[in-house]
Amino acid sequence: MSDCNLFSSVLPGDVDSRRVAIELPDGRTVSYGQLIELSGCMANLLVGRGMRPGDRLAAQVEKSFEALVLYLATVRAGGVYLPLNTAYTPNELQYFLKDAEPTIVVCDPSCRPNFVDMAAELGAVVETLGGDGSGSLSQAATAETSTFGTVGRAPDDLAAVLYTSGTTGRSKGAMLTHGNLISNARTLVESWQLSDRDVLIHMLPIYHTHGLFVASNVTLMAGARMIFRPRFDAGDALALMPRATVLMGVPTFYVRLLKLPGLRAASERIRLFVSGSAPLPAQVHQQWRDETGHSILERYGMTETGMNTSNPYSGERVPGTVGLPLPGVKIRVAHPENGRVLGQNEVGVVEVSGPNVFKGYWRMPEKTASEFREDGFFVTGDLGRIDERGYLHIVGRGKDLIITGGFNVYPKEVEAEIDAIGGVVESAVIGLPHPEFGEGVTAAVVRAPGSLVDEDAILKAVSDRLAKFKQPKRVVFVEALPRNTMGKVQKNLLRENLVGLYGEG
Ligand code: AMP
């Protein structure tokens, strides 16, 4: 059943092989035909390295066009792609690799020493891939033949596992099937009217659902072109706009672009600006409309579900809302404890069902069961309400998640690292409004009597333990943490007291 392999949907055999799929920073272009051939060479190599259908390939690599080929080749060979944030430290990686037990691990050439022992313990093969395409993998792939029979997959077979941040310390691997990814990409191509005339500015990371599945799968499925850049750069994005038709970004992109002159003229040709992964403040939406005449399309999704809702392509895009359920997706708001479905404008937990919803958490059947209702709805943990027109408003997060620059940080993990530092009694980590990052990770720390530990010492201690985006932007010392009668830290009070720390936010 090779027609159910995501690869065949994203790069179908009848695609015009001469069309440009990717434009690289150095001006080179990669056609659809080349993409299919290169993924064939890479798939042959992976199979030669021992990959069988269902095996995991873990990749912690810089964003590059070769990394995208690696993803496509893994899926094509029936493997399960497991991208890892490049910011993860060896300490964090150890957990992911032990949990996922990949057959092949791919890392940056400079990080190879960090991986060798870990991989040896697991019996995994280590290959390298640099941001410039260098390393063992591309070199070996050039010696392979490009002919490769795409491995047949059923809709329910796994295509990828993406780790989410764990609320209870343990990260969970969200299992995404070929069916999940195909259905969500198809829905988005139709809803956002993507076609082979589109040119996307691709500046998102490709270890996350937004850059990998939303931006890449959707663009390729539409036969469109992407201008591929290793990271977001506002000046570069502005310069590219006159040649592009679509930009997909996190709110931080838009906040930074608004600071640049010439935005209106540059954005004239753009057909669609998409924002997601974190709340887009209504005032940013408004300011963008005033400056450019365009209304940003905000959508809502998560690793476990892909995209759930979107403001309409044609129709009103309402600032501060995440729009309407996508075709085929059901959204409801329920009472967080008893699961009773709530009425219009009542705030509760957002629940979702549809072909986009993941298969469960990797090797965590109990956790999986606890996050689904009996009738199959997935409990997202986000708090929201549905208004009289059916638009969903996300009003908060039930799980204390901090979203900084589009990245998720669960406070508990950061607190555990700080609490382990000598001279620290306890800590509470919160997100505070930050003008650039949406939220800034902030630690409130209680010191032991006589302890001289200061902000610098704490930041230094966590710097090689936690990915950069999880490290606090500021550390504030307090006499005691505010607690309620049940002993729970009242983070809302901390937030209120510290709200202006980064300016007006
Ligand atoms: P991730 O799994 O990293 O994609 O993060 C998913 C979480 O990001 C969701 O559960 C929401 O809390 C948040 N999120 C994503 N898109 C939006 C949005 N448009 N508005 C508000 N929160 C969002």
Side-chain angles (χ1 to χ4, degrees), residues 1 23 70 78 105-106 145 189 272 278 365 399 475:
M1 283 214 297
E23 270 184 46
L70 178 63
V105 177
V106 184
T145 155
V189 169
L272 181 62
K399 299 172 185 168
V475 176

Side-chain angles (χ1 to χ4, degrees), residues 1 30 75 122 152 163 219 303 353 392 422 432 442-443 489:
M1 283 214 297
V30 182
V75 171
L122 299 164
Y163 278 89
T219 310
T303 303
S353 95
L392 178 66
L432 292 177
T442 311
V489 177

Side-chain angles (χ1 to χ4, degrees), residues 298-474:
E298 184 172 9
R299 94 298 178 279
Y300 158 70
M302 58 198 304
T303 303
E304 289 92 329
T305 62
M307 298 305 105
N308 298 315
T309 70
S310 169
N311 269 281
Y313 182 74
S314 320
E316 202 187 341
R317 299 179 193 165
V318 182
T321 82
V322 293
L324 304 158
L326 284 161
V329 179
K330 288 196 189 115
I331 296 278
R332 68 186 185 195
V333 169
H335 190 281
E337 264 100 54
N338 62 26
R340 184 173 59 82
V341 178
L342 300 175
Q344 222 170 57
N345 282 319
E346 285 188 278
V347 173
V349 70
V350 177
E351 301 185 352
V352 52
S353 95
N356 54 316
V357 175
F358 75 139
K359 195 171 173 174
Y361 293 112
W362 173 257
R363 292 182 178 165
M364 286 187 175
E366 278 157 27
K367 182 75 194 155
T368 302
S370 71
E371 305 231 345
F372 280 88
R373 300 285 185 206
E374 263 171 26
D375 60 358
F377 274 75
F378 172 62
V379 183
T380 64
D382 290 313
L383 300 174
R385 68 180 168 87
I386 297 173
D387 69 18
E388 45 295 332
R389 291 194 295 169
Y391 283 69
L392 178 66
H393 301 237
I394 302 291
V395 301
R397 297 180 298 267
K399 299 172 185 168
D400 248 344
L401 178 70
I402 299 170
I403 302 187
T404 179
F407 291 118
N408 291 357
V409 179
Y410 282 95
K412 191 148 182 137
E413 192 187 1
V414 185
E415 288 161 8
E417 294 293 347
I418 296 177
D419 292 352
I421 299 169
V424 169
V425 175
E426 60 173 350
S427 64
V429 168
I430 54 172
L432 292 177
H434 190 291
E436 195 168 351
F437 295 99
E439 287 184 291
V441 178
T442 311
V445 173
V446 180
R447 268 186 288 221
S451 159
L452 293 176
V453 68
D454 61 6
E455 182 169 21
D456 283 347
I458 288 178
L459 294 179
K460 188 162 182 298
V462 297
S463 67
D464 61 353
R465 302 284 303 166
L466 293 169
K468 181 99 180 116
F469 68 90
K470 297 181 193 169
Q471 295 169 21
K473 300 239 170 331
R474 287 294 312 272

Side-chain angles (χ1 to χ4, degrees), residues 104-128:
I104 303 175
V105 177
V106 184
C107 65
D108 192 82
S110 65
C111 299
R112 197 169 189 280
N114 297 340
F115 282 88
V116 177
D117 291 346
M118 275 190 255
E121 236 175 83
L122 299 164
V125 175
V126 182
E127 296 285 347
T128 58

